[in-house]
């Protein structure tokens, strides 16, 4: 099922890429033409059909994804003082760290932009017990 979805996405990307290439060529042809005022809304000369003979062929559709194409993250678990830190890497670059302190909730440090700056994400919902007075003695 996953391979079928990947093939469908690959085919759609190939179609969109070919369409974008054709549109870019049409735009370049319109800019180079001295007869810009004679073109109608569709970018065609009046009375002349649009020919896409110069358009490049669409890219080849990629084959199915194999086990070799799948990238598994490298996981390293280490101790920093009383904290347990689990690092997740792909291509030697850390993108996620899970920190489990000796006391308290675990939290995650995520590198969203890929520049080595980590942002802290909360590990769980904060607990806020009710704090109103039900009965009071004097």
């Amino acid at each position: 099922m996953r391979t079928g979805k990947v093939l469908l996405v690959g085919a759609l990307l190939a179609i969109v890429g070919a369409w974008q290439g054709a549109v870019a060529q049409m735009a370049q042809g319109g800019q180079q033409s001295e007869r810009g005022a004679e073109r109608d809304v569709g970018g065609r000369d009046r009375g002349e059909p649009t020919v896409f003979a110069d358009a490049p062929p669409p890219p080849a559709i990629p084959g199915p994804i194999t086990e070799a194409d799948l990238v598994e993250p490298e996981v390293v678990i280490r101790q920093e003082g009383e904290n347990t830190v689990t690092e997740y890497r792909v291509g030697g670059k850390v993108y996620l760290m899970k920190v489990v302190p000796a006391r308290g909730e675990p939290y995650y440090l995520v590198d969203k932009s890929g520049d080595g700056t980590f942002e802290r994400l909360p590990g769980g919902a904060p607990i806020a017990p009710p704090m109103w007075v039900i009965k009071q003695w004097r």
Side-chain angles (χ1 to χ4, degrees), residues 98-120:
K98 179 181 178 183
V99 181
V100 181
R103 287 177 229 101
E105 289 286 322
Y107 59 92
Y108 294 90
L109 300 172
V110 180
D111 184 9
K112 291 183 180 179
S113 59
D115 62 355
T117 306
F118 288 89
E119 297 177 24
R120 182 175 172 160

Side-chain angles (χ1 to χ4, degrees), residues 45-121:
D45 290 328
R46 292 186 181 140
E48 296 178 18
T50 303
V51 179
F52 293 107
D54 297 334
I61 297 174
I65 293 180
T66 63
E67 290 292 324
D69 296 332
L70 299 176
V71 177
E72 289 289 325
E74 177 185 340
V75 180
V76 177
I77 301 173
R78 58 186 167 85
Q79 285 292 125
E80 280 189 6
E82 294 183 355
N83 298 339
T84 303
V85 178
T86 307
E87 293 182 346
Y88 298 88
R89 307 172 182 259
V90 171
K93 194 169 191 177
V94 177
Y95 67 93
L96 173 71
M97 288 191 287
K98 179 181 178 183
V99 181
V100 181
R103 287 177 229 101
E105 289 286 322
Y107 59 92
Y108 294 90
L109 300 172
V110 180
D111 184 9
K112 291 183 180 179
S113 59
D115 62 355
T117 306
F118 288 89
E119 297 177 24
R120 182 175 172 160
L121 298 177

Side-chain angles (χ1 to χ4, degrees), residues 8-32:
L8 178 62
V9 169
L12 289 174
L13 288 174
I15 291 169
V16 168
W19 178 77
Q20 287 176 339
V23 169
Q25 279 192 342
M26 285 177 35
Q28 286 178 351
Q31 291 172 355
Q32 294 172 354

